[in-house]
Amino acid sequence: MSTVIPYGRQHITEEDITAVIETLKSDYLTQGPKIVEFEEAFAKYIGCKYAVAVANGTAALHLCTLALDVTEGDKVITTPITFAASANCVRYCGGEVVFADIDADTYLLDINNVRALLESSPKGTYKGIVPVDFAGRAVNLEEYRKLADEFGLWIIEDACHAPGGYFVDSKGEQQFCGNGNFADLAIFSFHPVKHIACGEGGMITTNDEDLYKKLLKLRTHGITKNEDQYTNDITFATGGVQDDSYPAWYMEMQTLGYNYRLTDFQAALGTSQLTRANEGIARRRNIAKTYEDAFTGKAYIEGQSGAIEGHAYHLYIIEATDRLGLYKYLRKQGIYAQIHYIPCHLMPYYREFGWKEGDMPLSEEYYKKCISLPMYPTLTDDELNFVINTIDSYYKQ
Ligand SMILES: *Cc1c(COP(=O)(O)O)cnc(C)c1O
């Protein structure tokens, strides 16, 4: 095999390309009809009421902390085993990130550790929780909602890894990631390694109408063109002339917002990609099953993602003996496995806040062994077998 096999990659079809080209030839490159089309299709897919398309997943997180009024000193709990943006969004608003350790089997933020933190401080100390559907495995948000309500917290679900993933609730019903039934807000990313690719792109989903309206405004400079929200009167708006309506040019900037918009051609790509989302997940689950079967019982495997119901398989992770050796060997064979993640609390930026080795023992232990294997819908069976056989041959030498 001559070409490199990455851990994740996009799948672009002729239909996707046509959708983008048609939008490039249309009247709108941005702020046009493709945005709403994508938002509506995405909300339907996820099963939530409202969706707000934004420039990327990090912008989505930032808008969430803004909409929830995170301010200086607010304490927010998240997992160290995530992409830094899940924590950074709290810092953008001056809040304080408090990490809690993972569950060693699921790799997800352990609710027992979160509960212990909440119970060891006076009520009101913490403002929110950012659980992450890490690797595509859905967090049980029904349990998190109960805990959050007990302590008056909000929840931002970082569902970047899990569009189409679900957990089964206490009534036996499938609860899809980002459906807004439990979390206040959820966010997704459309970076090419994620399930749905827009180049760059993100989405916020919610069932809360007030938060939805706030997000729309924050996405575009804090500007509204909705007359019902105007605070200046018509005579001011017209330029000192009495009239019975606001002039068409009028708008108000009411709060400090940003330009975090998605373009129409990216949205067109997203909508086109979305039509294949279920197909993509089915293939991912199929790959996961093949990995699981191949690695079960192998002495060099200390843990693996496994075939879990509702898992969206953004990543397939194994915990392996001699991880560094395996990583280098795979790379030499053109298999670019990846490590997810370097524990966030030990990034130099977060060490400055006092976080140190030993603070999150399970996350740190996990980091020593984890490696994410190639996982994407266009990975062929031949490539998949090549990956499995190459891993096997490393440990046989
Ligand atoms: C990718 C990702 C983000 C950030 O998304 P971008 O679109 O790259 O800004 C945030 N959280 C998690 C868990 C991610 O995987």
Side-chain angles (χ1 to χ4, degrees), residues 224-255:
T224 180
K225 288 212 69 157
N226 182 347
E227 284 194 19
D228 302 340
Q229 297 178 346
Y230 289 166
T231 61
N232 288 328
D233 62 23
I234 294 176
T235 309
F236 166 78
T238 57
V241 180
Q242 284 202 347
D243 204 352
D244 48 18
S245 64
Y246 286 91
W249 74 70
Y250 192 69
M251 54 83 171
E252 286 187 1
M253 190 214 114
Q254 299 183 325
T255 175

PDB file of all heavy atoms in Angstrom, residues 224-255:
ATOM      1  N   THR A 224     -29.760  42.712  15.731  1.00  0.00           N
ATOM      2  CA  THR A 224     -31.075  42.157  15.413  1.00  0.00           C
ATOM      3  C   THR A 224     -31.745  43.004  14.333  1.00  0.00           C
ATOM      4  O   THR A 224     -31.528  44.218  14.246  1.00  0.00           O
ATOM      5  CB  THR A 224     -31.988  42.067  16.661  1.00  0.00           C
ATOM      6  OG1 THR A 224     -33.235  41.512  16.255  1.00  0.00           O
ATOM      7  CG2 THR A 224     -32.229  43.423  17.300  1.00  0.00           C
ATOM      8  N   LYS A 225     -32.520  42.346  13.489  1.00  0.00           N
ATOM      9  CA  LYS A 225     -33.369  43.043  12.522  1.00  0.00           C
ATOM     10  C   LYS A 225     -34.829  42.707  12.811  1.00  0.00           C
ATOM     11  O   LYS A 225     -35.693  42.844  11.956  1.00  0.00           O
ATOM     12  CB  LYS A 225     -33.001  42.630  11.081  1.00  0.00           C
ATOM     13  CG  LYS A 225     -31.665  43.214  10.620  1.00  0.00           C
ATOM     14  CD  LYS A 225     -31.616  43.519   9.128  1.00  0.00           C
ATOM     15  CE  LYS A 225     -32.497  44.667   8.748  1.00  0.00           C
ATOM     16  NZ  LYS A 225     -32.160  45.366   7.507  1.00  0.00           N
ATOM     17  N   ASN A 226     -35.080  42.260  14.036  1.00  0.00           N
ATOM     18  CA  ASN A 226     -36.432  41.911  14.465  1.00  0.00           C
ATOM     19  C   ASN A 226     -37.051  43.102  15.195  1.00  0.00           C
ATOM     20  O   ASN A 226     -36.639  43.454  16.305  1.00  0.00           O
ATOM     21  CB  ASN A 226     -36.329  40.680  15.372  1.00  0.00           C
ATOM     22  CG  ASN A 226     -37.683  40.205  15.836  1.00  0.00           C
ATOM     23  OD1 ASN A 226     -38.698  40.898  15.690  1.00  0.00           O
ATOM     24  ND2 ASN A 226     -37.701  39.008  16.389  1.00  0.00           N
ATOM     25  N   GLU A 227     -38.059  43.731  14.577  1.00  0.00           N
ATOM     26  CA  GLU A 227     -38.693  44.950  15.113  1.00  0.00           C
ATOM     27  C   GLU A 227     -39.172  44.800  16.549  1.00  0.00           C
ATOM     28  O   GLU A 227     -39.127  45.754  17.319  1.00  0.00           O
ATOM     29  CB  GLU A 227     -39.909  45.335  14.244  1.00  0.00           C
ATOM     30  CG  GLU A 227     -39.518  45.968  12.944  1.00  0.00           C
ATOM     31  CD  GLU A 227     -40.703  46.653  12.261  1.00  0.00           C
ATOM     32  OE1 GLU A 227     -41.705  46.938  12.944  1.00  0.00           O
ATOM     33  OE2 GLU A 227     -40.592  46.886  11.044  1.00  0.00           O
ATOM     34  N   ASP A 228     -39.655  43.607  16.870  1.00  0.00           N
ATOM     35  CA  ASP A 228     -40.193  43.378  18.216  1.00  0.00           C
ATOM     36  C   ASP A 228     -39.126  43.589  19.285  1.00  0.00           C
ATOM     37  O   ASP A 228     -39.441  43.816  20.447  1.00  0.00           O
ATOM     38  CB  ASP A 228     -40.733  41.945  18.354  1.00  0.00           C
ATOM     39  CG  ASP A 228     -41.810  41.653  17.324  1.00  0.00           C
ATOM     40  OD1 ASP A 228     -42.385  42.623  16.780  1.00  0.00           O
ATOM     41  OD2 ASP A 228     -42.057  40.457  17.053  1.00  0.00           O
ATOM     42  N   GLN A 229     -37.854  43.466  18.877  1.00  0.00           N
ATOM     43  CA  GLN A 229     -36.777  43.571  19.857  1.00  0.00           C
ATOM     44  C   GLN A 229     -36.164  44.978  19.929  1.00  0.00           C
ATOM     45  O   GLN A 229     -35.336  45.248  20.794  1.00  0.00           O
ATOM     46  CB  GLN A 229     -35.660  42.555  19.522  1.00  0.00           C
ATOM     47  CG  GLN A 229     -36.125  41.094  19.602  1.00  0.00           C
ATOM     48  CD  GLN A 229     -35.030  40.112  19.219  1.00  0.00           C
ATOM     49  OE1 GLN A 229     -34.002  40.474  18.660  1.00  0.00           O
ATOM     50  NE2 GLN A 229     -35.259  38.839  19.508  1.00  0.00           N
ATOM     51  N   TYR A 230     -36.552  45.875  19.028  1.00  0.00           N
ATOM     52  CA  TYR A 230     -35.924  47.195  18.983  1.00  0.00           C
ATOM     53  C   TYR A 230     -36.168  47.980  20.268  1.00  0.00           C
ATOM     54  O   TYR A 230     -37.256  47.924  20.851  1.00  0.00           O
ATOM     55  CB  TYR A 230     -36.452  48.010  17.793  1.00  0.00           C
ATOM     56  CG  TYR A 230     -35.969  47.517  16.436  1.00  0.00           C
ATOM     57  CD1 TYR A 230     -36.573  47.952  15.253  1.00  0.00           C
ATOM     58  CD2 TYR A 230     -34.898  46.625  16.329  1.00  0.00           C
ATOM     59  CE1 TYR A 230     -36.154  47.507  14.007  1.00  0.00           C
ATOM     60  CE2 TYR A 230     -34.471  46.178  15.088  1.00  0.00           C
ATOM     61  CZ  TYR A 230     -35.097  46.617  13.940  1.00  0.00           C
ATOM     62  OH  TYR A 230     -34.669  46.174  12.726  1.00  0.00           O
ATOM     63  N   THR A 231     -35.163  48.713  20.695  1.00  0.00           N
ATOM     64  CA  THR A 231     -35.341  49.557  21.883  1.00  0.00           C
ATOM     65  C   THR A 231     -35.360  51.044  21.505  1.00  0.00           C
ATOM     66  O   THR A 231     -35.961  51.847  22.198  1.00  0.00           O
ATOM     67  CB  THR A 231     -34.248  49.279  22.934  1.00  0.00           C
ATOM     68  OG1 THR A 231     -32.979  49.586  22.371  1.00  0.00           O
ATOM     69  CG2 THR A 231     -34.256  47.819  23.366  1.00  0.00           C
ATOM     70  N   ASN A 232     -34.694  51.449  20.419  1.00  0.00           N
ATOM     71  CA  ASN A 232     -34.820  52.833  19.938  1.00  0.00           C
ATOM     72  C   ASN A 232     -36.163  53.008  19.227  1.00  0.00           C
ATOM     73  O   ASN A 232     -36.701  52.052  18.662  1.00  0.00           O
ATOM     74  CB  ASN A 232     -33.688  53.162  18.954  1.00  0.00           C
ATOM     75  CG  ASN A 232     -32.341  53.309  19.658  1.00  0.00           C
ATOM     76  OD1 ASN A 232     -32.283  53.754  20.805  1.00  0.00           O
ATOM     77  ND2 ASN A 232     -31.282  52.924  18.979  1.00  0.00           N
ATOM     78  N   ASP A 233     -36.705  54.268  19.259  1.00  0.00           N
ATOM     79  CA  ASP A 233     -38.029  54.431  18.651  1.00  0.00           C
ATOM     80  C   ASP A 233     -37.958  54.768  17.159  1.00  0.00           C
ATOM     81  O   ASP A 233     -36.877  55.012  16.605  1.00  0.00           O
ATOM     82  CB  ASP A 233     -38.878  55.458  19.415  1.00  0.00           C
ATOM     83  CG  ASP A 233     -38.231  56.838  19.400  1.00  0.00           C
ATOM     84  OD1 ASP A 233     -37.418  57.120  18.490  1.00  0.00           O
ATOM     85  OD2 ASP A 233     -38.530  57.633  20.306  1.00  0.00           O
ATOM     86  N   ILE A 234     -39.122  54.761  16.527  1.00  0.00           N
ATOM     87  CA  ILE A 234     -39.201  54.933  15.069  1.00  0.00           C
ATOM     88  C   ILE A 234     -38.641  56.294  14.642  1.00  0.00           C
ATOM     89  O   ILE A 234     -37.899  56.379  13.653  1.00  0.00           O
ATOM     90  CB  ILE A 234     -40.664  54.770  14.578  1.00  0.00           C
ATOM     91  CG1 ILE A 234     -41.115  53.314  14.805  1.00  0.00           C
ATOM     92  CG2 ILE A 234     -40.806  55.151  13.104  1.00  0.00           C
ATOM     93  CD1 ILE A 234     -42.568  53.043  14.461  1.00  0.00           C
ATOM     94  N   THR A 235     -38.940  57.328  15.398  1.00  0.00           N
ATOM     95  CA  THR A 235     -38.482  58.667  15.016  1.00  0.00           C
ATOM     96  C   THR A 235     -36.961  58.758  15.017  1.00  0.00           C
ATOM     97  O   THR A 235     -36.361  59.379  14.143  1.00  0.00           O
ATOM     98  CB  THR A 235     -39.085  59.725  15.965  1.00  0.00           C
ATOM     99  OG1 THR A 235     -40.491  59.497  16.027  1.00  0.00           O
ATOM    100  CG2 THR A 235     -38.815  61.127  15.472  1.00  0.00           C
ATOM    101  N   PHE A 236     -36.323  58.094  15.981  1.00  0.00           N
ATOM    102  CA  PHE A 236     -34.856  58.046  15.951  1.00  0.00           C
ATOM    103  C   PHE A 236     -34.399  57.300  14.706  1.00  0.00           C
ATOM    104  O   PHE A 236     -33.499  57.743  13.983  1.00  0.00           O
ATOM    105  CB  PHE A 236     -34.290  57.361  17.204  1.00  0.00           C
ATOM    106  CG  PHE A 236     -32.841  57.001  17.023  1.00  0.00           C
ATOM    107  CD1 PHE A 236     -31.842  57.973  17.137  1.00  0.00           C
ATOM    108  CD2 PHE A 236     -32.466  55.713  16.630  1.00  0.00           C
ATOM    109  CE1 PHE A 236     -30.515  57.654  16.902  1.00  0.00           C
ATOM    110  CE2 PHE A 236     -31.143  55.394  16.390  1.00  0.00           C
ATOM    111  CZ  PHE A 236     -30.154  56.367  16.530  1.00  0.00           C
ATOM    112  N   ALA A 237     -35.049  56.145  14.450  1.00  0.00           N
ATOM    113  CA  ALA A 237     -34.624  55.258  13.371  1.00  0.00           C
ATOM    114  C   ALA A 237     -34.715  55.936  12.001  1.00  0.00           C
ATOM    115  O   ALA A 237     -33.858  55.742  11.142  1.00  0.00           O
ATOM    116  CB  ALA A 237     -35.455  53.980  13.389  1.00  0.00           C
ATOM    117  N   THR A 238     -35.751  56.735  11.794  1.00  0.00           N
ATOM    118  CA  THR A 238     -35.929  57.379  10.487  1.00  0.00           C
ATOM    119  C   THR A 238     -34.966  58.548  10.297  1.00  0.00           C
ATOM    120  O   THR A 238     -34.792  59.051   9.184  1.00  0.00           O
ATOM    121  CB  THR A 238     -37.355  57.935  10.329  1.00  0.00           C
ATOM    122  OG1 THR A 238     -37.584  58.853  11.405  1.00  0.00           O
ATOM    123  CG2 THR A 238     -38.396  56.836  10.332  1.00  0.00           C
ATOM    124  N   GLY A 239     -34.363  59.015  11.394  1.00  0.00           N
ATOM    125  CA  GLY A 239     -33.501  60.189  11.324  1.00  0.00           C
ATOM    126  C   GLY A 239     -34.269  61.447  11.685  1.00  0.00           C
ATOM    127  O   GLY A 239     -34.027  62.516  11.099  1.00  0.00           O
ATOM    128  N   GLY A 240     -35.217  61.305  12.629  1.00  0.00           N
ATOM    129  CA  GLY A 240     -35.919  62.469  13.155  1.00  0.00           C
ATOM    130  C   GLY A 240     -37.233  62.769  12.470  1.00  0.00           C
ATOM    131  O   GLY A 240     -37.839  63.812  12.700  1.00  0.00           O
ATOM    132  N   VAL A 241     -37.681  61.859  11.610  1.00  0.00           N
ATOM    133  CA  VAL A 241     -38.952  62.066  10.913  1.00  0.00           C
ATOM    134  C   VAL A 241     -39.993  61.146  11.545  1.00  0.00           C
ATOM    135  O   VAL A 241     -39.719  59.983  11.815  1.00  0.00           O
ATOM    136  CB  VAL A 241     -38.805  61.718   9.411  1.00  0.00           C
ATOM    137  CG1 VAL A 241     -40.128  61.926   8.674  1.00  0.00           C
ATOM    138  CG2 VAL A 241     -37.689  62.540   8.781  1.00  0.00           C
ATOM    139  N   GLN A 242     -41.212  61.700  11.782  1.00  0.00           N
ATOM    140  CA  GLN A 242     -42.274  60.847  12.316  1.00  0.00           C
ATOM    141  C   GLN A 242     -42.818  59.952  11.217  1.00  0.00           C
ATOM    142  O   GLN A 242     -43.111  60.411  10.120  1.00  0.00           O
ATOM    143  CB  GLN A 242     -43.393  61.721  12.885  1.00  0.00           C
ATOM    144  CG  GLN A 242     -43.000  62.316  14.217  1.00  0.00           C
ATOM    145  CD  GLN A 242     -44.200  62.717  15.050  1.00  0.00           C
ATOM    146  OE1 GLN A 242     -45.328  62.769  14.556  1.00  0.00           O
ATOM    147  NE2 GLN A 242     -43.955  63.020  16.307  1.00  0.00           N
ATOM    148  N   ASP A 243     -42.919  58.680  11.515  1.00  0.00           N
ATOM    149  CA  ASP A 243     -43.429  57.733  10.519  1.00  0.00           C
ATOM    150  C   ASP A 243     -44.133  56.608  11.274  1.00  0.00           C
ATOM    151  O   ASP A 243     -44.016  56.542  12.497  1.00  0.00           O
ATOM    152  CB  ASP A 243     -42.258  57.186   9.681  1.00  0.00           C
ATOM    153  CG  ASP A 243     -42.700  56.690   8.305  1.00  0.00           C
ATOM    154  OD1 ASP A 243     -43.929  56.631   8.057  1.00  0.00           O
ATOM    155  OD2 ASP A 243     -41.824  56.340   7.498  1.00  0.00           O
ATOM    156  N   ASP A 244     -44.838  55.739  10.545  1.00  0.00           N
ATOM    157  CA  ASP A 244     -45.536  54.688  11.291  1.00  0.00           C
ATOM    158  C   ASP A 244     -44.823  53.341  11.298  1.00  0.00           C
ATOM    159  O   ASP A 244     -45.313  52.377  11.860  1.00  0.00           O
ATOM    160  CB  ASP A 244     -47.005  54.532  10.841  1.00  0.00           C
ATOM    161  CG  ASP A 244     -47.117  54.475   9.324  1.00  0.00           C
ATOM    162  OD1 ASP A 244     -46.071  54.200   8.679  1.00  0.00           O
ATOM    163  OD2 ASP A 244     -48.215  54.712   8.804  1.00  0.00           O
ATOM    164  N   SER A 245     -43.628  53.273  10.669  1.00  0.00           N
ATOM    165  CA  SER A 245     -42.863  52.020  10.778  1.00  0.00           C
ATOM    166  C   SER A 245     -41.360  52.297  10.686  1.00  0.00           C
ATOM    167  O   SER A 245     -40.938  53.361  10.221  1.00  0.00           O
ATOM    168  CB  SER A 245     -43.289  51.048   9.677  1.00  0.00           C
ATOM    169  OG  SER A 245     -42.968  51.595   8.416  1.00  0.00           O
ATOM    170  N   TYR A 246     -40.587  51.320  11.120  1.00  0.00           N
ATOM    171  CA  TYR A 246     -39.115  51.439  11.039  1.00  0.00           C
ATOM    172  C   TYR A 246     -38.695  51.367   9.573  1.00  0.00           C
ATOM    173  O   TYR A 246     -39.234  50.548   8.808  1.00  0.00           O
ATOM    174  CB  TYR A 246     -38.446  50.300  11.804  1.00  0.00           C
ATOM    175  CG  TYR A 246     -38.520  50.455  13.318  1.00  0.00           C
ATOM    176  CD1 TYR A 246     -39.580  49.907  14.048  1.00  0.00           C
ATOM    177  CD2 TYR A 246     -37.519  51.142  14.003  1.00  0.00           C
ATOM    178  CE1 TYR A 246     -39.647  50.039  15.425  1.00  0.00           C
ATOM    179  CE2 TYR A 246     -37.578  51.281  15.385  1.00  0.00           C
ATOM    180  CZ  TYR A 246     -38.638  50.729  16.099  1.00  0.00           C
ATOM    181  OH  TYR A 246     -38.701  50.870  17.445  1.00  0.00           O
ATOM    182  N   PRO A 247     -37.733  52.173   9.119  1.00  0.00           N
ATOM    183  CA  PRO A 247     -37.259  52.062   7.735  1.00  0.00           C
ATOM    184  C   PRO A 247     -36.547  50.723   7.506  1.00  0.00           C
ATOM    185  O   PRO A 247     -36.012  50.141   8.452  1.00  0.00           O
ATOM    186  CB  PRO A 247     -36.281  53.228   7.599  1.00  0.00           C
ATOM    187  CG  PRO A 247     -35.913  53.620   8.980  1.00  0.00           C
ATOM    188  CD  PRO A 247     -37.042  53.226   9.872  1.00  0.00           C
ATOM    189  N   ALA A 248     -36.553  50.256   6.265  1.00  0.00           N
ATOM    190  CA  ALA A 248     -36.020  48.925   5.943  1.00  0.00           C
ATOM    191  C   ALA A 248     -34.543  48.785   6.274  1.00  0.00           C
ATOM    192  O   ALA A 248     -34.062  47.685   6.545  1.00  0.00           O
ATOM    193  CB  ALA A 248     -36.267  48.605   4.474  1.00  0.00           C
ATOM    194  N   TRP A 249     -33.789  49.907   6.266  1.00  0.00           N
ATOM    195  CA  TRP A 249     -32.348  49.799   6.531  1.00  0.00           C
ATOM    196  C   TRP A 249     -32.042  49.567   8.003  1.00  0.00           C
ATOM    197  O   TRP A 249     -30.946  49.175   8.361  1.00  0.00           O
ATOM    198  CB  TRP A 249     -31.620  51.077   6.071  1.00  0.00           C
ATOM    199  CG  TRP A 249     -31.835  52.291   6.965  1.00  0.00           C
ATOM    200  CD1 TRP A 249     -31.359  52.485   8.236  1.00  0.00           C
ATOM    201  CD2 TRP A 249     -32.585  53.463   6.654  1.00  0.00           C
ATOM    202  NE1 TRP A 249     -31.763  53.705   8.731  1.00  0.00           N
ATOM    203  CE2 TRP A 249     -32.513  54.331   7.777  1.00  0.00           C
ATOM    204  CE3 TRP A 249     -33.303  53.877   5.510  1.00  0.00           C
ATOM    205  CZ2 TRP A 249     -33.140  55.584   7.805  1.00  0.00           C
ATOM    206  CZ3 TRP A 249     -33.910  55.129   5.549  1.00  0.00           C
ATOM    207  CH2 TRP A 249     -33.836  55.965   6.691  1.00  0.00           C
ATOM    208  N   TYR A 250     -33.020  49.845   8.860  1.00  0.00           N
ATOM    209  CA  TYR A 250     -32.732  49.930  10.280  1.00  0.00           C
ATOM    210  C   TYR A 250     -32.393  48.562  10.899  1.00  0.00           C
ATOM    211  O   TYR A 250     -32.935  47.530  10.510  1.00  0.00           O
ATOM    212  CB  TYR A 250     -33.910  50.565  11.034  1.00  0.00           C
ATOM    213  CG  TYR A 250     -33.526  50.935  12.445  1.00  0.00           C
ATOM    214  CD1 TYR A 250     -32.625  51.970  12.687  1.00  0.00           C
ATOM    215  CD2 TYR A 250     -34.031  50.216  13.524  1.00  0.00           C
ATOM    216  CE1 TYR A 250     -32.239  52.286  13.983  1.00  0.00           C
ATOM    217  CE2 TYR A 250     -33.653  50.538  14.818  1.00  0.00           C
ATOM    218  CZ  TYR A 250     -32.754  51.565  15.043  1.00  0.00           C
ATOM    219  OH  TYR A 250     -32.368  51.866  16.318  1.00  0.00           O
ATOM    220  N   MET A 251     -31.464  48.600  11.831  1.00  0.00           N
ATOM    221  CA  MET A 251     -31.109  47.411  12.624  1.00  0.00           C
ATOM    222  C   MET A 251     -30.526  47.905  13.929  1.00  0.00           C
ATOM    223  O   MET A 251     -30.170  49.074  14.035  1.00  0.00           O
ATOM    224  CB  MET A 251     -30.122  46.520  11.857  1.00  0.00           C
ATOM    225  CG  MET A 251     -28.880  47.225  11.364  1.00  0.00           C
ATOM    226  SD  MET A 251     -27.594  47.371  12.631  1.00  0.00           S
ATOM    227  CE  MET A 251     -26.234  47.980  11.677  1.00  0.00           C
ATOM    228  N   GLU A 252     -30.461  47.063  14.923  1.00  0.00           N
ATOM    229  CA  GLU A 252     -29.836  47.454  16.190  1.00  0.00           C
ATOM    230  C   GLU A 252     -28.791  46.450  16.642  1.00  0.00           C
ATOM    231  O   GLU A 252     -29.025  45.247  16.606  1.00  0.00           O
ATOM    232  CB  GLU A 252     -30.907  47.595  17.290  1.00  0.00           C
ATOM    233  CG  GLU A 252     -31.740  48.835  17.114  1.00  0.00           C
ATOM    234  CD  GLU A 252     -32.699  49.087  18.281  1.00  0.00           C
ATOM    235  OE1 GLU A 252     -32.704  48.295  19.252  1.00  0.00           O
ATOM    236  OE2 GLU A 252     -33.436  50.080  18.200  1.00  0.00           O
ATOM    237  N   MET A 253     -27.650  46.991  17.080  1.00  0.00           N
ATOM    238  CA  MET A 253     -26.650  46.168  17.754  1.00  0.00           C
ATOM    239  C   MET A 253     -26.932  46.313  19.237  1.00  0.00           C
ATOM    240  O   MET A 253     -26.793  47.383  19.801  1.00  0.00           O
ATOM    241  CB  MET A 253     -25.242  46.661  17.422  1.00  0.00           C
ATOM    242  CG  MET A 253     -24.180  45.688  17.908  1.00  0.00           C
ATOM    243  SD  MET A 253     -22.683  46.517  18.432  1.00  0.00           S
ATOM    244  CE  MET A 253     -22.677  46.169  20.174  1.00  0.00           C
ATOM    245  N   GLN A 254     -27.379  45.234  19.853  1.00  0.00           N
ATOM    246  CA  GLN A 254     -27.893  45.315  21.222  1.00  0.00           C
ATOM    247  C   GLN A 254     -26.991  44.676  22.255  1.00  0.00           C
ATOM    248  O   GLN A 254     -27.154  44.872  23.453  1.00  0.00           O
ATOM    249  CB  GLN A 254     -29.275  44.657  21.281  1.00  0.00           C
ATOM    250  CG  GLN A 254     -30.273  45.355  20.368  1.00  0.00           C
ATOM    251  CD  GLN A 254     -31.652  44.752  20.482  1.00  0.00           C
ATOM    252  OE1 GLN A 254     -31.793  43.551  20.679  1.00  0.00           O
ATOM    253  NE2 GLN A 254     -32.671  45.582  20.360  1.00  0.00           N
ATOM    254  N   THR A 255     -26.068  43.858  21.775  1.00  0.00           N
ATOM    255  CA  THR A 255     -25.183  43.167  22.713  1.00  0.00           C
ATOM    256  C   THR A 255     -23.872  42.920  21.975  1.00  0.00           C
ATOM    257  O   THR A 255     -23.833  43.001  20.746  1.00  0.00           O
ATOM    258  CB  THR A 255     -25.857  41.858  23.192  1.00  0.00           C
ATOM    259  OG1 THR A 255     -24.945  41.141  24.009  1.00  0.00           O
ATOM    260  CG2 THR A 255     -26.233  40.965  22.037  1.00  0.00           C
TER     261      THR A 255
END
